Amino acid sequence: MMFFFSFPTLVIVLVVWVPIVLPFTIILSDSGSPSALVDAPQTGFSMNKNGARTNPQEQAAVFEIMKATGNGWATDIPDVCRGRWHGIECMPDKDEVFHVVSLSFGALSDDTAFPTCDQKHSFISPAITKLPHLRTLFFYRCFSYNPQPIPTFLGQLGPTLQTLVLRENGHVGPIPTELGNLTSLRVLDLHKNKLNGSIPASFRRLTHLRSMDLSVNRLTGQIPDLNNPVLSILDLNQNLFTGSIPPSIGNCPSLLKMDLSRNHLSGPIPEQIGNLRNLVLIDFSYNQLLGPIPNALGKLGALQALILKGNPMESTLVVGNWFERLKDLMILVLSDMSLYGPIPESLGLLPSLRVIHLDRNKFNGSIPASFQELKGLSELRLNDNQLTGRVPFIRETIWKMGQKMRLYNNTGLCYDPQNGLDDDIDSLVISGISYCETSRSTSIPTTQHLSDNSGHKSIFEWRSSAQICGSSIGLQVLVSLLMYLI
């Protein structure tokens, strides 16, 4: 029988690449519970003839834990499992004795009223080890002004603990080796603390782990070999990891999200990544990974977001055409990678593409005509390349993207006035496109690029024609100057 006083036990909110990808929620099932507890759901607190109540030793432990977080008011509650405060969950055993299975602290939002912590004085009480049925332990922003290491005694919760969240608490020091004793652990979230040192070798014992978030810390060393068939979320972004991406990553076929961005990783992307057929998001941005981009990425048919920006791969997209099979791909971010050669025509045949960033590379040739078929495209960055030729988009496409279409610093790109923008100077200024020259006998639009002292660029657009009088020229220049100053 299940007795819930707060939201479901194993709910994780994972924020992936912002601002492009929205936050998403993964709900993990809470199976494999200790046999001593009755797992069938119940609607209220049932009373037997003797009067069901919380295990007294566990109640005393909860009082100690609450006092350690600055919540001494809990000691006035006669029965903590019947007190019905958010942040505690209890379950009965066969004798109708209730046991604490979940404790949560910290204000996630206005709608989630877990007990808050006294951030200047709070600490994690050793009394937690006196809760033998505890499955979930959650602390959020509880020790920000009282930095402390993660307690080693948490390793004593190994037989039952399934979820450990110590998020944004300001924890310092290394990750305790003792956490490797939590062999029932499914969720480990240590996001945004000040942890240092390497990932403990003892973590290889966490074979039931489904989500591991160690992001935004100061962890160093190499990413250890991974061999976990049930791991779905691996987030190590914004640390100081070095070395290469281990080929053993291919032994984690359940991975949905893999974020290794903003580290110091080097070497190539291993071909074994092609084994991860369930991957939805890859973010390896801002490392020192080298090319070529592996053709194995073309095997990831479920992939929706591929972010590799800021790696000096010095590769081409033409060889292998690895992306042709990525029919679900929505986000492609390959900026600042020293990529060269033409942009493949087949890239415009991916029906789900919404965002394309290929800016600040060395692409040459023209924008593929197939890009006209990307009806859902909402953001396109091709600026700072060596592209030439006519822009294939019609007026409506340019209007729709507005400032999210960036084509500037491609000296050979131009727009055909016959496509419907012959009078729309504002759209040309925003997009960084000039008109294509037609002939000397017709009015030829001219584009002049100017820079201010800060290096920010603007575009003044006017027509040079015998039919334009001096007052019209003055008006055009004045409008452009006002846009520049704004």
Side-chain angles (χ1 to χ4, degrees):
M1 301 175 70
M2 184 76 72
F3 191 37
F4 286 105
F5 296 127
S6 66
F7 64 66
T9 304
L10 295 179
V11 175
I12 316 163
V13 178
L14 300 165
V15 179
V16 297
W17 193 61
V18 177
I20 293 179
V21 181
L22 296 176
F24 61 92
T25 302
I26 292 179
I27 301 177
L28 303 176
S29 63
D30 188 15
S31 60
S33 56
S35 58
L37 302 183
V38 179
D39 270 339
Q42 68 176 43
T43 57
F45 190 88
S46 61
M47 298 287 291
N48 62 17
K49 61 182 180 181
N50 297 320
R53 56 173 303 187
T54 302
N55 177 283
Q57 288 77 26
E58 295 181 39
Q59 173 146 315
V62 169
F63 287 161
E64 292 299 317
I65 296 164
M66 293 292 282
K67 286 190 292 186
T69 56
N71 293 287
W73 52 265
T75 57
D76 294 329
I77 298 176
D79 191 307
V80 294
C81 284
R82 299 177 66 184
R84 297 179 181 271
W85 82 69
H86 291 288
I88 185 171
E89 295 175 10
C90 299
M91 290 173 57
D93 60 21
K94 296 177 182 179
D95 297 322
E96 293 293 332
V97 175
F98 276 77
H99 302 277
V100 178
V101 297
S102 177
L103 285 176
S104 299
F105 297 88
L108 284 175
S109 68
D110 293 339
D111 299 325
T112 307
F114 294 155
T116 57
C117 302
D118 179 350
Q119 294 187 353
K120 294 182 178 179
H121 304 99
S122 292
F123 62 95
I124 300 177
S125 170
I128 284 176
T129 60
K130 299 177 182 179
L131 302 176
H133 301 279
L134 193 66
R135 299 179 183 178
T136 298
L137 184 60
F138 185 105
F139 286 94
Y140 176 67
R141 293 183 178 179
C142 276
F143 321 110
S144 303
Y145 300 104
N146 184 27
Q148 54 197 266
I150 296 174
T152 59
F153 57 72
L154 294 182
Q156 299 177 34
L157 301 174
T160 60
L161 196 67
Q162 297 177 11
T163 299
L164 177 61
V165 177
L166 304 175
R167 192 175 179 89
E168 298 186 37
N169 286 315
H171 288 299
V172 297
I175 299 174
T177 299
E178 289 80 1
L179 295 190
N181 296 330
L182 303 177
T183 54
S184 298
L185 205 61
R186 300 178 184 182
V187 176
L188 176 62
D189 187 344
L190 307 180
H191 167 79
K192 202 173 183 180
N193 287 288
K194 298 178 181 178
L195 301 170
N196 56 31
S198 58
I199 297 177
S202 61
F203 273 25
R204 66 169 61 98
R205 300 201 297 267
L206 305 181
T207 57
H208 298 288
L209 203 60
R210 299 183 186 180
S211 176
M212 182 166 70
D213 187 345
L214 308 181
S215 60
V216 196
N217 280 287
R218 301 169 182 172
L219 300 174
T220 57
Q222 297 190 357
I223 298 174
D225 285 339
L226 299 167
N227 187 11
N228 190 330
V230 299
L231 187 66
S232 297
I233 307 297
L234 178 63
D235 194 341
L236 305 179
N237 86 81
Q238 296 191 55
N239 278 287
L240 303 172
F241 290 114
T242 56
S244 59
I245 299 173
S248 61
I249 196 71
N251 297 329
C252 302
S254 299
L255 272 177
L256 300 174
K257 171 190 174 182
M258 180 164 49
D259 190 346
L260 308 180
S261 62
R262 298 182 183 274
N263 280 284
H264 301 298
L265 301 173
S266 58
I269 298 175
E271 289 286 340
Q272 289 83 354
I273 199 170
N275 297 340
L276 308 180
R277 304 299 177 89
N278 295 308
L279 265 177
V280 173
L281 180 143
I282 294 176
D283 190 348
F284 293 165
S285 59
Y286 296 111
N287 282 285
Q288 287 92 49
L289 300 175
L290 302 177
I293 300 176
N295 292 332
L297 289 175
K299 300 178 181 179
L300 307 181
L303 197 63
Q304 296 182 23
L306 176 61
I307 307 165
L308 302 178
K309 69 181 298 185
N311 287 288
M313 290 201 166
E314 298 186 7
S315 182
T316 176
L317 295 185
V318 176
V319 177
N321 280 344
W322 48 268
F323 49 81
E324 288 185 346
R325 287 170 285 178
L326 304 182
K327 300 302 182 183
D328 291 334
L329 192 66
M330 299 175 61
I331 299 166
L332 179 64
V333 179
L334 305 178
S335 312
D336 295 296
M337 294 178 61
S338 298
L339 301 176
Y340 57 87
I343 299 174
E345 190 80 23
S346 53
L347 187 58
L349 303 180
L350 300 182
S352 301
L353 273 177
R354 300 292 184 270
V355 175
I356 302 177
H357 291 184
L358 302 178
D359 51 302
R360 296 189 295 275
N361 282 294
K362 301 175 184 178
F363 288 114
N364 56 31
S366 60
I367 300 175
S370 61
F371 275 30
Q372 298 178 77
E373 305 302 320
L374 297 175
K375 303 303 182 183
L377 194 62
S378 60
E379 190 167 330
L380 176 66
R381 297 184 186 178
L382 300 177
N383 55 282
D384 297 283
N385 279 287
Q386 300 164 15
L387 300 173
T388 59
R390 296 174 185 266
V391 174
F393 303 112
I394 60 176
R395 174 175 56 186
E396 287 75 13
T397 302
I398 294 179
W399 279 353
K400 182 179 71 172
M401 282 191 272
Q403 295 186 25
K404 293 184 179 180
M405 174 184 277
R406 303 182 184 180
L407 304 179
Y408 55 81
N409 288 347
N410 288 283
T411 55
L413 279 184
C414 63
Y415 187 84
D416 190 341
Q418 296 181 0
N419 283 7
L421 271 176
D422 50 323
D423 294 320
D424 195 335
I425 293 174
D426 291 352
S427 293
L428 296 175
V429 170
I430 291 171
S431 303
I433 315 169
S434 64
Y435 281 121
C436 300
E437 293 189 4
T438 54
S439 67
R440 296 294 180 183
S441 60
T442 60
S443 298
I444 301 174
T446 306
T447 301
Q448 180 178 355
H449 298 266
L450 299 178
S451 300
D452 60 15
N453 292 332
S454 65
H456 295 98
K457 298 182 179 179
S458 67
I459 303 173
F460 292 179
E461 179 76 18
W462 68 88
R463 295 172 184 269
S464 59
S465 171
Q467 299 175 349
I468 300 179
C469 64
S471 60
S472 297
I473 294 175
L475 180 60
Q476 294 278 25
V477 173
L478 178 60
V479 170
S480 298
L481 181 59
L482 287 173
M483 292 185 66
Y484 173 71
L485 293 176
I486 291 173

